[in-house]
């Protein structure tokens, strides 16, 4: 492309034509930094990519080749807007591992569970409607809620997740203000970013508050089967058929197929299918058959155990390194599964302002404010242990600790965390922010 | 599932919670009929599914297996929100066949071009905004526009597509009414459903009107390379870099991968990527690499020639059967490509009311009103020649003609087309309505 062409197409003559919702879509300030952070000398504790190096590629290749030869004109054709029946039946078996009893007809397959979030928000939320979320919550969900012009209100959490008392108070306060609450969005297992897991009793308490207040629960469970210390706690959906449940194959198999699902009461499912047809006609058909084939012809439960062993070693490496390296006054969560540790730095530090110095010290992380719609999280950072090997994690944590120590010294000398600061990132997913 | 469970989940306790846009999503009355129409004894001239029986399945299987073995952890991982660079470069070559000069950086890959429509509407349209469309237009696009609460206004067309004079008058009339027009949506090649192609001069005239009136053009071109009589006419985008262009691999390769794209000016492309990330994080990664592999390792241009020979024989069979079978007073278009013939029956007939009798006579088609947002098209039907073999097409047209003849007899005896009628279908795509 010539410079001239680049110049011509960069002018935005459409600036007055965009929809109001487009104003809520902003490029995150941290995103530019992350493109630098992908350099090999940098230890990235930022990304949420599953590590799929242990998949049986040879076996998968053979099996998919046979599928194409015998069934190619079906698996490469248009499919059902709801998703293929064979996979929906298998998904029922997957969900049974977390205590869910469901029927394939109540499942809508989506292009990753991100699209599940998009479609659920699409069918429920008008501009100005309130979505309740954990404090902190998944950056990609916040971006979707904001793109539908929702107001996101964070509910205070403790070490067991959402506080039922605070939840009820928040609902009552918002209703007193005349606000319309559409649903509570929650990640009860190994929350992204906090790593916190809601115990069973807490799940029941949260459901009970929502039921008595008439607030729908949307349970997002991408990491549920990646329990590193004990068997998974049954899903919230197992206690209440009215919970809308989002599942995904991205972490238990592979994310590149973009296949997730929504389990919803029948009336909601009908709307979801209409929304799916309007959005994409049908979810990726070849991907669905590829996953159905994988589930049929591979020991997928055994593969999850292999993944769990790998992630456990990495989590343990991170927790050990944090204990050894972090300066006094720093705290962090101890996740029982999933991908993430949530770090709280001493009062006065600013993870957002610190990020360029982190990258300079060859370590990347996601600053806390990305996980809030309201500017909280200045002292927080999400560190992910899913992708780098244990020795790299150790190196990364050491570099992170060094940066924090230097920040503390500067603060103790000058009284505040020093510039330059970045503007607060708009929540919005990227490959680094899953 | 027990009846009890079915009963429990069918009650819609969420009826007061849906968004306003969800009210525009309705189950089409013809959809139930189409599930019947998929019975093997019925000749379906309704579906818009490409016929992919001639694809080299053995070669595709081998090639994809090799791709997984050598590159599995990349092709099954998360990818770019904009789409993979290697495929965007190849798409530049595909578009060059229709006279388009473009840069890979201005392409956003989508989950089928249906998602391109969804994202373009998402970034441009607020509720109440007007989208201009051909008369008739693609049912799936109308469904998407309505799901974003747009007002669709059809522009009168003639045998060369959109009338430039009528287009200007429509724009001026709407603006005099204070309406905000966001874009003109057009399928200039072998329009779905009309089969009409806009000649080059007409394209320039339409672009000229839109440019002088400041209306954006969205060019949808799924069938462009399936020209059956002559070389393709250059795309509208080749004449104007500000045209937003939607492309697809669904008809030139296979729809099950769900890969299409949007070529847009740079500023618009930035918004599309943000919208894509919010909708699905990234378009289907494995699918993109599968298509990139297909384009690299297969004679894809030669395969399009094979498809064209197949579709040409089917189109010719349909046009011959229509000429031999249809009663006087019926007219139809003669498409130079694509999948569809648009039939206009004698005044007074109602294709919607007639459909159950068509299915009873073992032929299915799509009634004209599906392709209008405003209730036009009562005398029209879309007949597709893409899927059944020529002898089945001939049988289907004969059955269709018999039904029309009986309708005419009844009308001539009783004065009106007889009941029962179906309610007007809400536009909305399904596997039968692509």
């Amino acid at each position: 492309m010539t410079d001239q062409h680049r110049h011509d197409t960069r002018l935005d003559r459409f600036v007055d034509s965009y929809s109001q919702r487009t104003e809520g879509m902003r490029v995150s300030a941290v995103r530019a930094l992350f493109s630098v952070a992908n350099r090999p000398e940098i230890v990235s504790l930022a990304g949420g990519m599953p590590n799929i190096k242990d998949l049986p590629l040879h076996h998968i290749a053979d099996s998919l080749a046979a599928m194409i030869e015998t069934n190619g004109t079906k698996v490469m054709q248009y499919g059902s807007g709801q998703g293929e029946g064979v996979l929906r039946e298998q998904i029922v078996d997957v969900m049974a591992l977390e205590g869910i009893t469901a029927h394939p007809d109540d499942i809508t397959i989506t292009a990753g569970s991100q699209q599940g979030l998009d479609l659920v928000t699409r069918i429920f939320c008008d501009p100005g409607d309130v979505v309740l979320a954990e404090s902190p919550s998944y950056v990609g969900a916040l971006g979707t809620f904001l793109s539908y012009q929702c107001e996101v209100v964070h509910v205070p959490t403790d070490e067991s997740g959402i506080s039922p008392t605070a939840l009820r108070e928040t609902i009552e306060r918002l209703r007193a203000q005349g606000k319309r609450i559409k649903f509570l969005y929650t990640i009860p297992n190994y929350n992204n970013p906090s790593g916190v897991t809601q115990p069973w009793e807490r799940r029941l308490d949260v459901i009970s508050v929502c039921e008595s207040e008439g607030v729908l629960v949307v349970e997002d469970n991408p990491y549920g089967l990646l329990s590193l210390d004990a068997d998974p706690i049954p899903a919230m959906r197992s206690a209440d058929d009215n919970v809308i449940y989002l599942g995904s194959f991205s972490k238990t198999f592979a994310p590149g197929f973009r296949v997730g699902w929504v389990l919803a009461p029948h009336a909601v499912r009908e709307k979801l299918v209409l929304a799916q047809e309007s959005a994409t006609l049908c979810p990726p058909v070849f991907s669905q058959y590829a996953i159905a084939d994988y589930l049929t012809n591979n020991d997928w439960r055994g593969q999850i155990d292999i993944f769990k062993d790998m992630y456990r070693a990495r989590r343990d490496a991170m927790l050990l390194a944090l204990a050894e390296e972090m300066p006094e006054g720093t705290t962090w969560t101890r996740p029982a599964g999933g991908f993430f540790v949530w770090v709280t730095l001493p009062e006065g530090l600013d993870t957002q302002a610190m990020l360029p110095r982190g990258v300079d010290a060859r370590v990347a992380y996601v600053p806390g404010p990305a996980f809030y719609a309201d500017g909280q999280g200045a002292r927080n950072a999400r560190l992910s242990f899913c992708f780098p090997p244990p020795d790299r994690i150790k190196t990364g944590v050491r570099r992170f600790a060094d940066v924090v120590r230097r920040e503390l010294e500067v603060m103790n000398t000058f009284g505040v965390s020093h510039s330059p600061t970045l503007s607060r990132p708009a929540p919005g997913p990227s490959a680094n922010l899953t």
Side-chain angles (χ1 to χ4, degrees), chain A:
Chain A
M1 182 163 52
T2 63
D3 284 352
Q4 181 58 38
H5 175 69
R6 157 80 49 208
H7 178 74
D8 286 349
T9 59
R10 271 200 180 272
L11 294 172
D12 189 2
R13 70 174 69 190
F14 308 104
V15 68
D16 294 327
S17 298
Y18 297 118
S19 60
Q20 288 177 27
R21 74 176 68 81
T22 305
E23 289 171 27
M25 303 178 192
R26 294 227 182 77
V27 180
S28 158
V30 295
R31 197 180 297 211
L33 212 57
F34 281 137
S35 64
V36 179
N38 286 330
R39 293 200 316 255
E41 69 272 23
I42 293 180
V43 176
S44 179
L45 306 176
M49 295 190 300
N51 195 323
I52 57 174
K53 68 179 176 57
D54 294 328
L55 282 174
L57 294 182
H58 179 73
H59 196 188
I60 292 170
D62 279 357
S63 190
L64 285 190
M67 177 184 87
I68 293 169
E69 294 229 32
T70 57
N71 216 3
T73 56
K74 182 176 180 184
V75 303
M76 292 195 265
Q77 187 53 271
Y78 285 114
S80 151
Q82 185 179 359
E84 302 306 299
V86 58
L87 182 59
R88 288 189 281 111
E89 287 177 18
Q90 290 170 313
I91 286 171
V92 168
D93 295 337
V94 173
M95 293 192 294
L97 296 180
E98 297 188 80
I100 294 174
T101 306
H103 191 278
D105 195 43
D106 293 335
I107 294 168
T108 304
I109 294 178
T110 54
S113 71
Q114 183 73 29
Q115 200 205 11
L117 277 169
D118 185 84
L119 298 182
V120 167
T121 313
R122 184 186 295 223
I123 68 166
F124 281 111
C125 294
D126 288 310
D129 284 350
V130 171
V131 173
L132 302 174
E134 272 137 347
S135 177
S137 184
Y138 168 49
V139 57
L142 300 182
T144 298
F145 302 148
L146 296 180
S147 83
Y148 282 95
Q149 301 164 270
C150 297
E151 180 184 352
V152 176
V153 175
H154 292 281
V155 181
T157 57
D158 58 27
E159 68 287 352
S160 299
I162 293 167
S163 156
T165 312
L167 174 61
R168 193 184 295 277
E169 285 169 2
T170 303
I171 293 169
E172 287 171 357
R173 173 172 53 82
L174 290 165
R175 289 202 170 139
Q177 294 168 4
K179 296 200 169 158
R180 193 169 149 96
I181 302 167
K182 281 305 172 68
F183 53 82
L184 168 69
Y185 169 72
T186 177
I187 307 171
N189 287 320
Y190 334 123
N191 178 282
N192 177 0
S194 75
V196 166
T197 297
Q198 283 186 22
W200 176 243
E201 287 301 324
R202 178 63 65 93
R203 296 178 193 214
L204 296 180
D205 290 346
V206 168
I207 288 171
S208 169
V209 170
C210 285
E211 188 160 53
S212 70
E213 296 284 353
V215 169
L216 185 62
V217 176
V218 176
E219 175 183 26
D220 190 5
N221 191 32
Y223 312 101
L225 293 176
L226 297 177
S227 53
L228 303 181
D229 296 329
D231 287 339
I233 297 170
M236 296 173 84
R237 170 58 173 73
S238 74
D240 180 356
D241 285 357
N242 283 308
V243 168
I244 293 180
Y245 176 95
L246 305 182
S248 172
F249 288 106
S250 292
K251 280 79 183 184
T252 51
F253 174 31
F257 293 102
R258 307 310 298 125
V259 176
W261 69 90
V262 184
L263 172 66
H266 194 86
V268 175
R269 194 278 286 164
E270 284 185 347
K271 310 285 186 196
L272 286 171
V273 173
L274 292 172
Q276 174 65 283
E277 291 176 344
S278 174
T280 67
L281 289 181
C282 54
V285 181
F286 187 89
S287 290
Q288 292 175 67
Y289 283 108
I291 289 178
D293 186 80
Y294 173 79
L295 296 174
T296 303
N297 294 321
N298 290 269
D299 175 17
W300 61 271
R301 288 178 184 82
Q303 182 62 45
I304 290 175
D305 288 337
I306 292 171
F307 284 144
K308 283 162 68 167
D309 289 344
M310 173 190 62
Y311 291 130
R312 190 182 301 107
R314 286 155 198 239
R315 180 208 51 185
D316 291 348
M318 178 169 278
L319 291 178
L320 184 64
L322 285 165
E324 290 177 351
E325 302 286 349
M326 291 308 292
E328 207 174 330
T330 308
T331 60
W332 56 90
T333 55
R334 283 159 187 80
F339 287 2
F340 307 112
V341 172
W342 183 244
V343 176
T344 304
L345 300 183
E347 186 77 55
L349 292 191
D350 181 335
T351 54
Q352 186 97 18
M354 194 177 86
L355 184 57
R357 296 183 288 282
V359 172
D360 195 50
R362 291 171 297 142
V363 61
Y365 58 88
V366 184
F371 305 97
Y372 290 94
D374 59 5
Q376 297 181 69
R379 292 164 61 191
N380 296 110
R382 188 190 77 177
L383 304 188
S384 64
F385 54 80
C386 47
F387 208 80
D391 62 316
R392 293 277 287 170
I393 289 175
K394 192 171 174 179
T395 303
V397 171
R398 187 183 308 129
R399 292 173 183 171
F400 179 72
D402 287 344
V403 173
V404 172
R405 248 188 304 273
R406 286 200 298 274
E407 293 289 296
L408 280 171
E409 285 167 18
V410 170
M411 188 174 74
N412 291 336
T413 307
F414 296 102
V416 289
S417 180
H418 66 305
S419 62
T421 59
L422 291 173
S423 63
R424 191 171 76 81
S430 78
N432 274 301
L433 294 178
T434 52

